[in-house]
Amino acid sequence: MAEIIQKDGTWVFDGEALRLTPGRDKNVGLLRRELGELLVPLAALAGVSFEQGKKSGRLRLRLRDGADPLVHATGGRLTEPHDPYQLLVEPDRYGVAEYFVDEVRNALLLDQVPSGPVDAYLLPGPSVPLSVSAGDGIAHFDGEQVRLEWKWQAEDSKSAAGPRTLPLADIVAVEWQPSAGLENGHLRFTVRAAPGKVPPKYDPNAVELWGFKKDPLMALVAAAVQARLPHPAARPAPEDAGPPGESPAPKPAPAAEDDHDALLRRLRELGDLHRSGVLTDEEFTLAKQAILKRM
């Protein structure tokens, strides 16, 4: 087991999953505190890294595409104070962080966890019911429908239309966008049969965000809805669809040469890890045999 305890949070790895617990330090982002403890299965990881700095270092987890509804709904745009997959590390714990990275990487290697996308969510997303107030509205989600209520700062067109109720069955997609510079952010729901997109300021299916403290909490609503929508891998891409009434065209299988080259690269990586002392002789032999069997 590997463990690193910091003011920013505590990460524990037991060989099968990582338990991420946010710290109580005042610099811990509001979203991380509200999200609480996360259990990330090893199969959801694409990689882990540690970056050293003069004042502090940073541990980062990289999840496989499609594994986490929060990452998908936010498009990976969560910044450091709010990103649950980053951990600030104090200089006197750099050695512990490097050991933690080695343990996770060894497990990924020995379990032969692929780094490619997945076709189902491996994390459940935030629990419901949820209610968040930010920007020009309040978003409620009970697992079956989204209700949007407008504050007095909302545009007249929204206020005049009154609260908006969106059944989950009518929602096609959800998107959270943070404010950046002079551009406001938004939480937007794409609804079936809705007209083309209009600016979030006037869109009755969107909450406009102005860059205030509670804006990141809207990402929790986005993730909770995303977790209950069909997984992106289950939706056929437009270019894959055939003529009306026909099944989508099958995707070509990957070339055997490409797979062979990937296995050769993996073998070279194993050799580098073994020479650098990261892998023991036994671990290197087991991992190499598994790759040779696939070849």
Side-chain angles (χ1 to χ4, degrees):
M1 187 177 80
E3 179 182 59
I4 180 166
I5 302 174
Q6 293 290 276
K7 291 187 294 184
D8 194 43
T10 299
W11 286 13
V12 179
F13 177 57
D14 64 4
E16 297 181 354
L18 292 100
R19 189 175 300 274
L20 315 180
T21 306
R24 297 181 180 180
D25 188 72
K26 63 180 181 179
N27 294 321
V28 176
L30 185 59
L31 182 142
R32 286 178 61 198
R33 294 202 299 268
E34 290 293 327
L35 192 58
E37 188 175 84
L38 287 178
L39 188 65
V40 183
L42 186 66
L45 285 187
V48 59
S49 64
F50 174 60
E51 306 160 7
Q52 292 191 14
K54 292 182 179 179
K55 294 184 178 180
S56 64
R58 182 176 284 107
L59 272 170
R60 295 179 188 267
L61 295 181
R62 183 166 58 89
L63 271 61
R64 298 170 65 186
D65 288 345
D68 181 21
L70 175 64
V71 173
H72 184 82
T74 60
R77 291 182 288 262
L78 286 173
T79 54
E80 180 269 320
H82 307 290
D83 188 348
Y85 304 116
Q86 295 189 39
L87 182 72
L88 292 180
V89 180
E90 297 168 6
D92 63 347
R93 289 293 181 270
Y94 282 1
V96 178
E98 290 170 348
Y99 171 76
F100 189 93
V101 167
D102 288 343
E103 288 294 294
V104 176
R105 285 179 176 171
N106 289 346
L108 288 170
L109 194 61
L110 293 174
D111 285 12
Q112 300 182 48
V113 177
S115 60
V118 296
D119 57 7
Y121 291 123
L122 301 181
L123 283 90
S127 58
V128 294
L130 270 172
S131 183
V132 176
S133 173
D136 67 353
I138 305 172
H140 309 273
F141 181 53
D142 62 4
E144 296 182 357
Q145 62 182 20
V146 174
R147 180 175 172 83
L148 303 178
E149 299 175 359
W150 310 116
K151 299 181 182 179
W152 66 267
Q153 301 99 323
E155 280 296 307
D156 292 342
S157 58
K158 288 184 175 180
S159 298
R164 183 88 165 162
T165 299
L166 307 175
L168 186 62
D170 292 343
I171 298 175
V172 177
V174 58
E175 175 190 54
W176 175 84
Q177 173 77 48
S179 59
L182 299 178
E183 295 292 327
N184 291 332
H186 62 262
L187 169 67
R188 188 198 299 272
F189 300 95
T190 301
V191 180
R192 302 180 195 278
K197 285 187 177 180
V198 297
K201 184 175 183 178
Y202 306 102
D203 189 345
N205 299 321
V207 175
E208 187 180 38
L209 304 174
W210 301 319
F212 295 147
K213 181 179 179 180
K214 291 188 176 181
D215 283 10
L217 294 182
M218 282 293 183
L220 296 178
V221 179
V225 174
Q226 184 68 57
R228 290 160 177 81
L229 294 178
H231 191 275
R235 307 170 194 164
E239 60 270 19
D240 295 336
E246 295 186 11
S247 301
K251 295 183 179 180
E257 293 82 0
D258 293 342
D259 188 51
H260 188 268
D261 290 344
L263 293 173
L264 286 176
R265 286 196 298 271
R266 193 65 174 267
L267 275 176
R268 285 194 290 269
E269 292 172 0
L270 282 176
D272 292 339
L273 291 171
H274 182 234
R275 283 189 292 274
S276 63
V278 174
L279 292 180
T280 64
D281 292 343
E282 183 181 359
E283 290 171 338
F284 173 67
T285 301
L286 289 173
K288 184 176 68 173
Q289 289 175 348
I291 292 178
L292 291 176
K293 286 181 181 178
R294 294 176 61 187
M295 295 178 68

